[in-house]
């Protein structure tokens, strides 16, 4: 976190940490005044999405497409 604070970073996106496993990361981010931005997707169940929104700081990162990145013909109606 010291490197981020020195940068100075104001937010942190960590895509591979599930909501249930980010407590230490959230505490360290908070101690260093860095907002932890959590991710959600159109396929995330509504109750889980609400939990993610409540736990996220600054904003919520919406991963708007399922699968690999690249050109899309359409986007989910839930976006």
């Amino acid at each position: 976190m010291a490197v981020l604070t020195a940068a100075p970073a104001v937010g942190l996106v960590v895509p591979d940490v599930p909501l249930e496993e980010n407590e230490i990361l959230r505490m360290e981010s908070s101690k260093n005044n860095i907002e932890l931005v959590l991710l959600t997707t159109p396929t995330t169940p509504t109750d889980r999405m609400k939990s993610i929104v409540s736990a996220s700081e600054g904003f919520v990162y919406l991963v708007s497409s399922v699968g690999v990145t690249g050109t899309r013909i359409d986007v989910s109606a839930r976006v």
Side-chain angles (χ1 to χ4, degrees):
M1 287 294 166
V3 172
L4 295 175
T5 304
V10 294
L12 181 63
V13 177
V14 183
D16 292 332
V17 179
L19 180 63
E20 299 79 14
E21 298 176 20
N22 72 12
E23 185 176 339
I24 293 171
L25 187 56
R26 284 195 331 191
M27 289 184 335
E28 291 299 314
S29 296
S30 181
K31 278 194 322 191
N32 290 282
N33 295 318
I34 297 172
E35 295 177 338
L36 183 59
V37 178
L38 302 178
L39 286 68
T40 190
T41 71
T43 59
T44 300
T46 302
D47 288 343
R48 182 172 178 79
M49 192 179 293
K50 287 178 182 179
S51 296
I52 290 169
V53 169
S54 293
S56 193
E57 301 170 334
F59 66 93
V60 176
Y61 188 110
L62 175 64
V63 180
S64 62
S65 47
V66 177
V68 296
T69 57
T71 305
R72 297 276 188 255
I73 294 172
D74 59 359
V75 177
S76 169
R78 288 194 66 193
V79 173

